[in-house]
Amino acid sequence: MKALPHHYEVSLNWKDDRYGTLTAVSRPAIEGGPPPEFDGRKADWSPEHLLLASVDLCLMTTFMVLSKKKELKIKRYESRISGTLDRTSEGLTFTRILQEVDIEVAAGDVEKTRKLIEAAKKYCLIGNSLKPEIRLDARVRP
Amino acid sequence: MKALPHHYEVSLNWKDDRYGTLTAVSRPAIEGGPPPEFDGRKADWSPEHLLLASVDLCLMTTFMVLSKKKELKIKRYESRISGTLDRTSEGLTFTRILQEVDIEVAAGDVEKTRKLIEAAKKYCLIGNSLKPEIRLDARVRP
């Protein structure tokens, strides 16, 4: 890890209507706009999808770092994150975020893996930056 | 807008090491991993970059919806979002998020536009879901 603090930057160039292109040095551009639920195009990434992607990717990268430290061999890791957006007294917000993770490891590593994925959730800096509570449903199997 | 609540879903398929592919129905896949600051590859989108992208895109889409309602003609809209990650008593977290927005409108619309971009920040549901405070620096000019 590089010395702290770290600095991250993303640029957004508006194209037309409610659509624009997101760029971050040396990464492929992402076409963004509102989701279909807000009458946007299905081919564009929405703020809602990008937020969920960020949370789910953070859990995985954090988990993989912890697994490497503990010399745990991961056979398979797949996850799905879902978010529910609803109106509350605070306005429109995510009222529920659920991460469902499927992990395959050796039979002797199941318990250790369960602890590590819980630890990864605790240390995930993106999840910790969000106000809505995030539920983790982890299935670990040999 | 479709009836609430809305549901959003993103999937993540682990490839190897700390890298995986993010997908959301009908959108191009995003290759994700840790950022170079955490010894990741420069070509992948990181959780940190995706979070910032989400916040910045939300401001733009919200602003464009408000502008359309007020029949404001936007000539140009560009923005840049930067985030500083540092260690605090709460752990590693974003200590500063700054949105810099450049907007070009007709000379008579400058004041109206300033108010609308402030309103968009207030209503941006992603920004409102984050714990770290977000500063907006909007330059509106004819």
Side-chain angles (χ1 to χ4, degrees), chain A residues 48-68:
Chain A
E48 292 82 353
H49 286 100
L50 290 171
L51 181 76
L52 296 176
S54 168
V55 174
D56 218 26
L57 182 59
C58 184
L59 181 71
M60 189 274 277
T61 55
T62 307
F63 173 75
M64 291 301 167
V65 167
L66 297 180
S67 299
K68 203 173 177 182

Side-chain angles (χ1 to χ4, degrees), chain A residues 1-15 17-39 41-58 60-61 64-65 68 74-87 90 92-95 123 125-132, chain B residues 1-15 17-39 41-58 60-61 64-65 68 74-87 90 92-95 123 125-132:
Chain A
M1 185 172 109
K2 292 217 173 77
L4 292 163
H6 294 171
H7 299 284
Y8 301 91
E9 202 176 295
V10 173
S11 294
L12 173 59
N13 281 287
W14 176 58
K15 293 186 299 189
D17 192 7
R18 299 158 297 156
Y19 301 95
T21 305
L22 291 155
T23 52
V25 176
S26 75
R27 291 158 188 89
I30 297 175
E31 299 303 324
E37 288 76 6
F38 288 99
D39 310 313
R41 296 193 295 237
K42 278 184 188 166
D44 290 287
W45 281 83
S46 71
E48 292 82 353
H49 286 100
L50 290 171
L51 181 76
L52 296 176
S54 168
V55 174
D56 218 26
L57 182 59
C58 184
M60 189 274 277
T61 55
M64 291 301 167
V65 167
K68 203 173 177 182
I74 310 299
K75 293 180 183 170
R76 203 172 69 93
Y77 180 105
E78 272 182 31
S79 66
R80 198 173 63 152
I81 184 166
S82 54
T84 302
L85 200 72
D86 210 349
R87 202 171 295 283
E90 309 280 295
L92 208 56
T93 188
F94 277 106
T95 52
Y123 293 121
L125 74 94
I126 304 291
N128 290 340
S129 298
L130 291 190
K131 289 178 191 167
Chain B
M1 184 171 109
K2 292 216 174 77
L4 291 162
H6 294 170
H7 299 285
Y8 301 92
E9 201 176 293
V10 173
S11 294
L12 173 59
N13 281 288
W14 176 59
K15 292 186 300 187
D17 191 8
R18 299 158 295 155
Y19 301 94
T21 304
L22 292 156
T23 52
V25 176
S26 75
R27 291 157 189 88
I30 297 174
E31 298 304 326
E37 288 76 6
F38 288 98
D39 310 314
R41 295 192 295 237
K42 279 185 187 165
D44 291 287
W45 282 82
S46 71
E48 292 83 352
H49 285 100
L50 290 170
L51 182 75
L52 295 177
S54 168
V55 174
D56 218 27
L57 181 60
C58 183
M60 190 272 276
T61 53
M64 292 300 167
V65 167
K68 203 172 177 181
I74 310 298
K75 292 181 186 169
R76 202 173 70 93
Y77 181 106
E78 271 181 32
S79 66
R80 198 174 64 154
I81 185 166
S82 54
T84 302
L85 200 71
D86 210 347
R87 202 171 294 283
E90 310 280 294
L92 208 55
T93 187
F94 278 107
T95 52
Y123 293 120
L125 74 93
I126 303 292
N128 289 340
S129 297
L130 290 191
K131 289 178 191 166

